[in-house]
């Protein structure tokens, strides 16, 4: 070996090490260049839309490559937000389906709850749905509770447009007015039935015992479906993982239900049982 080669070797080695360092550093930094997809998921406030809060807290959204922001939003506002891109997905079917019939370019791409989670609640003197004839029912007009209440009433042979009066008011407002005798009944999502029973009110009917009506899943804009089908598939998969976890892991799910919706053990357990009735583990529409 010549003297020139001996002098050149350290320089060559430094060049090789520098190149390797750059290659390894580039490889290690690659995940940050392909960061998790940031998405916003809108969902109604009630506990019937628990799939994605569970998916968030158990890490299923992260597993599918998402950095997800979950926001509580009402149906009418969500439809506007979905149209202008302020939210990427929405979970409530009721208002979304009405808007789609009116021209909203969106589609239902997955279903996670195939049974409606609403109950019809009445004052103590009311014992059945037929006792509602001539009475006043307070609901969130135009929302899921309103729609399902009317379906329940029709199921029992009454006409919701003629046999009773619907007025605006839901959940706490309705229960307070029922206590005052200003309303006779209301429609509310579970677990409001447990609070109502403690106040002395009766559960007149549970929609989940009467009919199938898909209520929660994934609603996506047609533009999103066209441009990011893989993103939608991954989101659907995260929801399926959450529902399967829910079905298979009672002890892990109930505490998350309790913390998410500020429930006690009794209400959280009852809500879990309700979920098992309507939980869809493959994302398909009934």
């Amino acid at each position: 070996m010549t003297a020139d080669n001996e002098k050149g070797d350290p320089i060559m080695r430094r060049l090789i090490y520098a190149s390797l360092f750059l290659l390894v550093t580039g490889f290690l930094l690659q995940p940050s260049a392909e960061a998790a997809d940031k998405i916003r998921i809108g969902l109604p406030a009630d506990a019937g839309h628990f799939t994605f809060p569970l998916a968030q807290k158990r890490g299923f959204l992260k597993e599918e490559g998402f950095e997800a922001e979950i926001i509580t939003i009402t149906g009418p506002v969500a439809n506007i937000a979905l149209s202008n891109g302020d939210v990427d997905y929405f979970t409530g079917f009721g208002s979304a389906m009405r808007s789609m019939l009116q021209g909203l370019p969106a589609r239902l791409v997955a279903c996670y709850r195939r049974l409606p989670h609403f109950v019809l609640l009445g004052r103590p003197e009311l014992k059945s749905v037929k006792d509602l004839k001539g009475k006043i029912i307070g609901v969130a007009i135009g929302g899921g509770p309103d729609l399902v209440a009317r379906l329940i009433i029709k199921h029992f042979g009454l006409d919701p447009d003629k046999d009773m009066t619907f007025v605006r008011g839901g959940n706490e407002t309705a229960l307070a007015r029922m206590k005052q005798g200003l309303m006779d009944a209301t429609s509310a999502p579970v677990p409001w039935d447990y609070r109502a029973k403690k106040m002395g009110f009766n559960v007149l009917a549970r929609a989940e015992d009467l009919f199938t009506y898909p209520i929660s899943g994934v609603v996506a804009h047609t533009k999103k479906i066209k441009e990011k089908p893989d993103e939608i598939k991954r989101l659907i998969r995260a929801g399926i993982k959450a529902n399967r976890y829910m079905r298979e892991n009672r002890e892990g799910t109930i505490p998350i239900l309790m913390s998410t919706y500020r429930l006690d053990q009794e209400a959280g357990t009852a809500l879990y049982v309700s979920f098992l009735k309507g939980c869809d583990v493959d994302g398909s529409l009934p």
Side-chain angles (χ1 to χ4, degrees):
M1 182 178 293
T2 66
D4 286 341
N5 284 339
E6 290 176 354
K7 291 178 182 178
D9 280 348
I11 296 173
M12 183 62 67
R13 283 198 298 271
R14 284 197 293 271
L15 287 173
I16 291 171
Y17 292 156
S19 298
L20 286 173
F21 175 78
L22 289 174
L23 284 171
V24 172
T25 302
F27 177 77
L28 292 175
L29 292 178
Q30 187 67 21
S32 63
E34 297 179 2
D37 293 327
K38 293 184 178 181
I39 59 172
R40 302 184 82 194
I41 305 172
L43 69 166
D46 64 83
H49 305 271
F50 178 57
T51 296
F52 284 122
L54 179 62
Q56 180 84 300
K57 292 182 179 182
R58 296 307 307 175
F60 300 130
L61 284 165
K62 188 176 181 180
E63 279 181 11
E64 293 297 334
F66 292 115
E67 182 182 329
E69 180 184 1
I70 296 178
I71 59 174
T72 300
I73 189 170
T74 63
V77 176
N79 296 327
I80 297 171
L82 200 62
S83 294
N84 60 28
D86 285 341
V87 298
D88 297 286
Y89 304 96
F90 184 56
T91 65
F93 281 2
S95 61
M97 286 191 284
R98 282 193 295 276
S99 294
M100 282 186 271
L101 290 172
Q102 296 167 3
L104 176 70
R107 298 290 183 270
L108 311 181
V109 297
C111 175
Y112 296 132
R113 186 172 179 119
R114 60 178 59 213
L115 296 179
H117 56 293
F118 298 103
V119 292
L120 203 54
L121 305 168
R123 284 180 49 80
E125 64 270 20
L126 303 177
K127 306 301 181 185
S128 71
V129 174
K130 292 191 175 182
D131 291 340
L132 291 174
K133 192 166 186 178
K135 304 299 184 182
I136 297 174
I137 302 175
V139 293
I141 300 294
D146 179 19
L147 175 63
V148 174
R150 294 172 188 273
L151 290 173
I152 293 173
I153 289 164
K154 287 181 180 179
H155 180 85
F156 285 94
L158 298 177
D159 187 336
D161 296 321
K162 297 179 180 179
D163 292 330
M164 61 276 301
T165 302
F166 279 80
V167 298
R168 190 172 298 278
N171 295 353
E172 281 191 74
T173 300
L175 293 181
R177 291 181 181 176
M178 286 168 64
K179 197 72 174 177
Q180 297 166 5
L182 302 176
M183 290 180 182
D184 300 294
T186 189
S187 173
V190 293
W192 281 91
D193 50 329
Y194 285 85
R195 186 174 300 183
K197 285 194 289 186
K198 288 181 178 179
M199 295 174 68
F201 300 132
N202 292 325
V203 175
L204 304 179
R206 296 182 182 275
E208 62 190 11
D209 295 334
L210 302 177
F211 45 77
T212 296
Y213 184 88
I215 201 75
S216 180
V218 180
V219 180
H221 198 282
T222 52
K223 182 180 179 182
K224 175 75 74 171
I225 296 171
K226 182 179 180 180
E227 294 179 355
K228 295 191 175 181
D230 178 67
E231 178 179 290
I232 293 174
K233 290 176 183 177
R234 288 186 287 121
L235 183 66
I236 292 172
R237 192 158 54 232
I240 290 173
K241 287 179 179 180
N243 274 16
R244 289 180 177 175
Y245 177 89
M246 191 188 314
R247 184 170 290 280
E248 297 166 4
N249 195 323
R250 174 190 175 97
E251 299 306 316
T253 302
I254 291 177
I256 298 176
L257 269 173
M258 293 168 60
S259 63
T260 301
Y261 299 105
R262 299 179 182 179
L263 305 173
D264 59 25
Q265 183 76 37
E266 180 187 7
T269 301
L271 184 56
Y272 176 78
V273 173
S274 174
F275 266 116
L276 289 189
K277 293 180 183 178
C279 180
D280 192 315
V281 294
D282 63 7
S284 63
L285 280 165

